[in-house]
Amino acid sequence: MGTGQWTVGVTGATGYAGGEVCRLLAGHPNLRLGGVHANSSAGRRLGELQPHLTPYADLEVRPSGAEDLAGYDVVVLALPHGESAAIAAQLPDDTLVIDCGADHRLNDPAAWARWYGGEHAGSWPYGLPELPGQREKLADARRIAVPGCYPTSVTLAMTPALAAGVVEPEIVVVAASGTSGAGKKAVPHLLGSEVMGSVSAYGVGGVHRHTPEMIQNLSQAAGRPVGVSFTPTLVPMSRGILATCSAKLAPGTDATAARAAYENAYADEPFVQLLPEGQWPTTAQVLGANTVALQIAVDPDAGRLVVVAVVDNLTKGTAGGALQCANLALGLPETTGLPLVGVAP
């Protein structure tokens, strides 16, 4: 089954996440982009809207209705939250549907109602293969919910420590993100003149919608409820997340035990790079790569473990994660067509 060919339809292809899916498909040997979809720009050439996607420049953007998406082997939904569920419900059961939005990430209907509002569309297998026990759920799946970009970095930063019991289940996260995480829609506070030379906090006080997703993932890893205090910040770059996560060390735990937990967890993970001691991750080193780079340290005076993780929010944080899951669901080697090396400088 590892040499097959599948057609892919991408809706939301004119946005940042959808465009990144298309970019990665250009280098994938088994997945062929069969069509691009977006309601607001239907009828236009993709090259007008995504000029970097030269192999697909002459593709006509088609509408995003379920009837327009029904003919593909794989459908990637790169849509705002609340828009994926209705389309997905109308697609054939044997179509591999990968939702890059939030509609199917949360297991708890009450959490969905609180953080997003409206009716919960149900949960799908969660598309973070590195989460313990998750690969088996993704193999042969036909519906997959891709994680949010912040939860990807934070979950991978803290899962080994929580699973090994080396920290207490109360996590503090301060994460910096580039502006592409907010999407392509033009809004005044994201204009270049507003962002350049300035760093700002937003979603302060536990109100960011990715918080319940982090709690869900980390509680699963810990086997008990985990509290998360999350503060996101916006920094003047287009791509990337740097998440600084910390937690109080469990009694009797030291730096050696903490590092061992990470070495054991990620020794065989192709997309997670635990850096050599003393080397700290930068967003530049994962630019365009489907990788998370991280480093840990123990602050002995504070008695806390500190983990810094970086991810390209559009690659491993969204589109790369989607194709990683597609590889698993289709029986392909997990690394097929996915870049492991970033772009520098």
Side-chain angles (χ1 to χ4, degrees):
M1 198 173 172
T3 58
Q5 296 287 322
W6 292 268
T7 59
V8 183
V10 179
T11 186
T14 58
Y16 290 139
E20 185 75 348
V21 173
C22 296
R23 181 183 78 86
L24 294 174
L25 285 171
H28 199 294
N30 302 95
L31 300 178
R32 180 180 65 81
L33 181 63
V36 291
H37 301 259
N39 285 330
S40 60
S41 50
R44 298 176 66 182
R45 288 174 58 253
L46 187 63
E48 295 176 51
L49 304 157
Q50 302 277 30
H52 66 298
L53 297 176
T54 50
Y56 310 125
D58 291 328
L59 284 180
E60 180 181 325
V61 179
R62 292 158 54 198
S64 292
E67 65 278 5
D68 301 291
L69 296 166
Y72 302 108
D73 301 314
V74 182
V75 171
V76 179
L77 303 171
L79 300 170
H81 76 266
E83 295 186 17
S84 300
I87 294 172
Q90 299 175 65
L91 293 174
D93 291 342
D94 60 350
T95 300
L96 173 55
V97 183
I98 300 179
D99 186 5
C100 294
D103 288 23
H104 302 95
R105 294 173 187 160
L106 298 181
N107 297 329
D108 181 2
W112 174 267
R114 175 187 168 190
W115 293 90
Y116 291 94
E119 187 176 350
H120 185 232
S123 60
W124 289 356
Y126 189 74
L128 191 61
E130 296 85 359
L131 199 59
Q134 207 61 26
R135 275 192 177 85
E136 294 75 12
K137 298 174 184 176
L138 296 169
D140 299 320
R142 283 301 173 265
R143 299 290 188 269
I144 295 173
V146 178
C149 49
Y150 282 125
T152 295
S153 58
V154 172
T155 301
L156 294 177
M158 293 309 301
T159 284
L162 288 163
V166 299
V167 295
E168 300 292 348
E170 289 291 336
I171 313 300
V172 176
V173 179
V174 178
S177 174
T179 55
S180 62
K184 205 171 184 179
K185 184 179 179 181
V187 289
H189 77 278
L190 296 176
L191 293 172
S193 54
E194 301 290 333
V195 172
M196 286 188 296
S198 179
V199 177
S200 58
Y202 68 102
V204 181
V207 298
H208 193 283
R209 283 172 165 158
H210 284 175
T211 302
E213 194 179 335
M214 296 177 195
I215 292 170
Q216 175 178 288
N217 296 350
L218 297 178
S219 298
Q220 177 185 328
R224 57 177 170 163
V226 173
V228 175
S229 172
F230 174 51
T231 304
T233 63
L234 190 68
V235 297
M237 61 184 184
S238 58
R239 288 175 178 247
I241 288 173
L242 187 146
T244 302
C245 313
S246 75
K248 187 174 178 59
L249 286 169
T253 300
D254 59 13
T256 301
R259 186 161 187 93
Y262 283 79
E263 290 173 341
N264 293 337
Y266 292 142
D268 299 320
E269 288 294 347
F271 297 116
V272 184
Q273 302 165 347
L274 176 62
L275 299 180
E277 290 191 63
Q279 181 181 343
W280 289 92
T282 66
T283 55
Q285 76 190 73
V286 296
L287 184 68
N290 193 57
T291 55
V292 175
L294 54 86
Q295 183 59 279
I296 74 167
V298 167
D299 180 341
D301 292 328
R304 296 183 73 84
L305 175 71
V306 182
V307 186
V308 176
V310 294
V311 62
D312 185 322
N313 56 296
L314 294 179
T315 313
K316 177 58 173 163
T318 309
L323 295 191
Q324 184 182 344
C325 292
N327 286 339
L328 282 168
L330 295 170
L332 295 167
E334 193 172 330
T335 56
T336 303
L338 291 170
L340 289 164
V341 178
V343 178

